[in-house]
Amino acid sequence: NAGVTQTPKFQVLKTGQSMTLQCAQDMNHNSMYWYRQDPGMGLRLIYYSASEGTTDKGEVPNGYNVSRLNKREFSLRLESAAPSQTSVYFCASIRPLTGTGYSPLHFGNGTRLTVT
Amino acid sequence: GNSVTQMEGPVTLSEEAFLTINCTYTATGYPSLFWYVQYPGEGLQLLLKATKADDKGSNKGFEATYRKETTSFHLEKGSVQVSDSAVYFCALSAPFSNTGNQFYFGTGTSLTVIP
């Protein structure tokens, strides 16, 4: 089925380790986003990519880097993981706007990351 | 700036009870408004949306009306079911700019429906 695919689903890291969260969408969407979800704080935007070749910081970018590899893929990298980065990470994408107005985000199922 | 404030939970209701989850927003320009639902272990799914004032979004028995005068988008359902147990997020989409859409989410309201 078409949608947003995130890998891995679960990950445990030790403080200081690095890892890359992968995200791919097959809906030909232009814009892609990375959010983190923490209890009582809702979703907070880490980085986004309005289109292939561009990336911009969101609300909480510190400690993260991103790569928009092509139109389909948008990865999130933690260079040196910290316990404060324990969270659930969601990738999302959105189709190009049309004259009928705005479009909703389509989300992946998340990556549950624990940093010890 | 743009922000969303929604009713804090958790909310526990008996099956067939009436549900209201309050959501108010602050926005520059003319945003679109959304309700998303998250079931355990899953990502967020769009439940309904409204793109302009006085629009009513509806889906699966849920409704919400875009009220510009009160800057609100409250979610309602007349008779909840156990299967409606989930976390509900109110969100707005800021007007399109050359950097793309921006979305702002509330903190989520957890709903549990008991038989």
Side-chain angles (χ1 to χ4, degrees):
Chain A
N1 290 337
V4 180
T5 303
Q6 291 183 235
T7 55
K9 293 187 190 310
F10 301 94
Q11 184 70 51
V12 179
L13 293 178
K14 295 185 187 304
T15 297
Q17 288 184 318
S18 62
M19 79 161 293
T20 299
L21 282 64
Q22 306 288 352
C23 174
Q25 54 87 12
D26 56 6
M27 297 174 284
N28 200 34
H29 287 178
N30 280 359
S31 300
M32 298 184 73
Y33 304 76
W34 277 105
Y35 289 90
R36 59 178 291 173
Q37 182 181 27
D38 301 291
M41 304 191 75
L43 276 75
R44 293 182 292 169
L45 181 65
I46 305 171
Y47 270 93
Y48 68 99
S49 171
S51 61
E52 187 178 354
T54 68
T55 60
D56 286 284
K57 295 179 181 179
E59 182 185 355
V60 288
N62 291 345
Y64 306 94
N65 285 301
V66 290
S67 295
R68 183 72 183 269
L69 305 171
N70 48 55
K71 191 171 185 179
R72 291 186 63 245
E73 299 173 283
F74 187 39
S75 62
L76 178 71
R77 183 160 178 83
L78 286 69
E79 292 290 351
S80 179
S84 61
Q85 293 178 306
T86 294
S87 187
V88 181
Y89 292 85
F90 287 101
C91 178
S93 67
I94 190 170
R95 67 172 173 79
L97 290 179
T98 69
T100 57
Y102 304 111
S103 181
L105 286 169
H106 295 257
F107 284 86
N109 282 339
T111 294
R112 284 147 184 81
L113 174 67
T114 301
V115 183
T116 61
Chain B
N2 299 307
S3 67
V4 174
T5 302
Q6 69 179 96
M7 162 181 167
E8 290 192 17
V11 174
T12 302
L13 294 173
S14 297
E15 205 165 23
E16 300 184 0
F18 184 85
L19 168 71
T20 300
I21 301 178
N22 290 337
C23 172
T24 58
Y25 67 90
T26 302
T28 54
Y30 303 95
S32 286
L33 301 174
F34 305 87
W35 276 100
Y36 283 84
V37 58
Q38 183 181 32
Y39 299 103
E42 297 183 8
L44 280 71
Q45 305 171 23
L46 178 68
L47 180 60
L48 53 85
K49 73 171 183 178
T51 58
K52 61 183 188 297
D54 299 325
D55 268 3
K56 177 185 282 188
S58 61
N59 186 27
K60 300 180 182 179
F62 291 90
E63 294 183 340
T65 301
Y66 189 146
R67 302 283 187 202
K68 190 175 178 185
E69 64 276 14
T70 54
T71 62
S72 65
F73 192 56
H74 304 321
L75 182 68
E76 296 182 336
K77 186 174 185 182
S79 176
V80 294
Q81 305 300 312
V82 172
S83 57
D84 294 327
S85 298
V87 181
Y88 293 81
F89 292 89
C90 186
L92 72 82
S93 172
F96 183 75
S97 70
N98 59 4
T99 60
N101 297 56
Q102 290 296 341
F103 289 80
Y104 300 84
F105 288 85
T107 54
T109 302
S110 175
L111 170 67
T112 301
V113 180
I114 55 178

